Amino acid sequence: AVRRPETRKLFVFRSGSFLCCHWLKRKQRNKSDQCYSDWFFFSSLVVCSENLNFLHYLSWNSHPILFSEMSRRPLIAGGALVAGVAAAAYAIATAFDPSPRATVDQIRADGGEALVLRDGRVVEYFVHGDPQGATTLVALHGAQTTGKLFALLAPWASKNGVRIIAPTLPGFGLSSFAPGYVLQDWVADMHELLRDHLRLERFLVLGTSLGSIHAAALAGLYSPSDAVLNVELYVAMAPADEGYDPPKGSVLDVFGRMRRFPLAKRLFEKLLVMPLMRRLMPRDGDVARSIRTQWEGMASCADVIYQPWPFDWRSMARDRRVIIVSGRQDTAAPPHNQQRLHSQIVGSTLIEYDGDHQRGLEEPDMMAEHVALLL
């Protein structure tokens, strides 16, 4: 018998769904339980979709009394409601599931280097500029980027004999995240990377945006303290102490306010912000890379901004030069942050430019001029 077009279409749909589920199951076989739950959820949606498709088929091809125009709509609407509730329940149940941990081979295949820490976590880092340079610059990126970002300074670094070591912050790119980590924990990781693994005796520090908080922590907590030479805080965030609110007036203010509602904040980031960023940002860009496999870095940004600085940051410039760079039209790290840092850090230097938060990334030559002040 000749298969009717509608029946053939349904057969192809069901066969394709089965093959997709089978492929996903095989792909995820050796991965985490989260992957199995992802496969189960996908399979459930496929089954639900198949049922809706089948109901739709019946409504057009069965007895008109049983599946009339009026009875077909509630069936489809009810199925869609069930699928929506199931999707929402799944999103809530898996909102805080940890991201899979990257391997050393994955990091090296993506152009980076890796160090496995004592507790098994992995730190990803990149080397830019002159690998044999006499001067070492530790460069720390901001939110939604990775250490790969500082390739933009590679021409300047190669020309000036500077080796750039650019670690990726926890939860971004392929650097493992540690739940509840604070600045002291991150500096301990840097002891393993910079002092024990790379055996750096002296180095300059550059911190951009969120990375400026980590740069300040290196200056205040790293041991030995004289290993940290000059420090540049680029479009920096000031500490949230004495009632001061760093994101006030910025586009990030909403994330700070949502910290009181962690589940709502996580769902907002997981279901809206990150999918939009992954879709709108260039797939081969550093922003997309920073959130491709992990959500923890982005989700913890507000916690990093608001955590206390457990060191005497006001005396940061006592034994070194501290340069603070500010964009007058910056709406991500508003200028009041850099002005507060400059007014409180005795002996610091404030450099201002006309432009927003991203201008230094869009104009690497300008950023290189500012970074050259560290030498």
Side-chain angles (χ1 to χ4, degrees):
V2 178
R3 190 182 295 274
R4 294 181 59 185
E6 295 87 349
T7 308
R8 186 184 306 115
K9 184 177 180 181
L10 181 60
F11 173 79
V12 170
F13 178 81
R14 293 176 65 89
S15 300
S17 300
F18 172 81
L19 290 174
C20 286
C21 290
H22 183 67
W23 174 78
L24 277 175
K25 185 176 181 180
R26 287 175 59 87
K27 184 179 179 183
Q28 310 292 12
R29 183 169 293 163
N30 297 321
K31 296 188 178 180
S32 65
D33 291 340
Q34 181 186 359
C35 295
Y36 282 110
S37 64
D38 290 344
W39 169 81
F40 177 76
F41 175 63
F42 181 81
S43 304
S44 300
L45 285 185
V46 168
V47 171
C48 194
S49 300
E50 288 179 339
N51 290 336
L52 289 176
N53 192 292
F54 186 59
L55 288 173
H56 182 77
Y57 168 74
L58 287 177
S59 67
W60 283 108
N61 297 278
S62 298
H63 196 283
I65 296 177
L66 296 176
F67 291 96
S68 64
E69 177 70 20
M70 295 302 294
S71 64
R72 179 163 53 91
R73 291 177 181 176
L75 282 170
I76 295 175
L81 178 62
V82 169
V85 171
Y90 173 82
I92 293 173
T94 62
F96 296 98
D97 283 359
S99 300
R101 183 170 291 179
T103 66
V104 172
D105 289 340
Q106 283 179 288
I107 293 172
R108 289 177 177 165
D110 206 16
E113 297 293 337
L115 171 67
V116 180
L117 300 171
R118 293 187 181 96
D119 64 0
R121 288 179 298 114
V122 181
V123 174
E124 169 188 76
Y125 68 96
F126 292 85
V127 180
H128 305 291
D130 183 355
Q132 307 301 322
T135 301
T136 299
L137 170 66
V138 175
L140 305 168
H141 64 86
Q144 282 68 265
T145 51
T146 72
K148 205 169 190 176
L149 171 77
F150 293 103
L152 61 88
L153 292 176
W156 166 83
S158 297
K159 182 179 178 180
N160 291 275
V162 176
R163 175 177 61 158
I164 298 175
I165 304 296
T168 297
L169 297 179
F172 293 106
L174 297 176
S175 278
S176 304
F177 183 77
Y181 97 100
V182 292
L183 290 173
Q184 299 96 311
D185 299 325
W186 178 79
V187 172
D189 293 345
M190 290 303 100
H191 283 147
E192 288 192 50
L193 174 64
L194 304 178
R195 186 182 63 192
D196 303 338
H197 179 63
L198 296 176
R199 300 191 179 281
L200 300 182
E201 296 182 359
R202 299 284 190 278
F203 52 88
L204 305 168
V205 178
L206 166 68
T208 64
S209 191
L210 186 76
S212 65
I213 298 173
H214 298 79
L218 276 184
L221 296 173
Y222 193 84
S223 176
S225 60
D226 60 358
V228 180
L229 302 175
N230 302 329
V231 177
E232 184 161 298
L233 308 178
Y234 208 93
V235 291
M237 287 287 195
D241 58 6
E242 301 174 355
Y244 181 75
D245 188 12
K248 183 177 181 180
S250 81
V251 295
L252 304 176
D253 193 30
V254 62
F255 294 96
R257 296 177 185 275
M258 291 183 72
R259 290 173 69 239
R260 294 174 294 173
F261 312 100
L263 179 58
K265 177 177 178 291
R266 173 69 194 110
L267 293 175
F268 175 67
E269 293 167 344
K270 178 178 181 178
L271 301 179
L272 181 62
V273 179
M274 294 184 74
L276 282 176
M277 292 181 69
R278 286 169 175 154
R279 179 170 293 273
L280 298 177
M281 295 297 171
R283 291 182 179 271
D284 58 348
D286 197 54
V287 173
R289 183 183 184 278
S290 72
I291 60 174
R292 185 176 299 146
T293 59
Q294 297 192 93
W295 59 267
E296 289 90 343
M298 180 178 182
S300 65
C301 284
D303 295 331
V304 174
I305 291 172
Y306 283 101
Q307 71 173 285
W309 291 17
F311 51 90
D312 183 12
W313 58 274
R314 291 177 176 84
S315 64
M316 196 186 309
R318 182 174 53 198
D319 302 317
R320 61 179 68 88
R321 279 187 289 138
V322 174
I323 302 165
I324 301 164
V325 181
S326 176
R328 294 188 179 94
Q329 290 78 42
D330 193 339
T331 58
H336 61 77
N337 283 274
Q338 299 93 50
Q339 291 164 4
R340 181 171 192 251
L341 287 168
H342 177 53
S343 66
Q344 296 285 322
I345 300 176
V346 178
S348 63
T349 300
L350 178 65
I351 306 292
E352 297 179 291
Y353 65 84
D354 287 318
D356 61 11
H357 196 71
Q358 301 294 322
R359 186 181 171 189
L361 305 182
E362 295 166 354
E363 300 180 28
D365 289 343
M366 184 195 77
M367 188 177 190
E369 289 181 8
H370 295 149
V371 177
L373 299 173
L374 287 168
L375 301 179

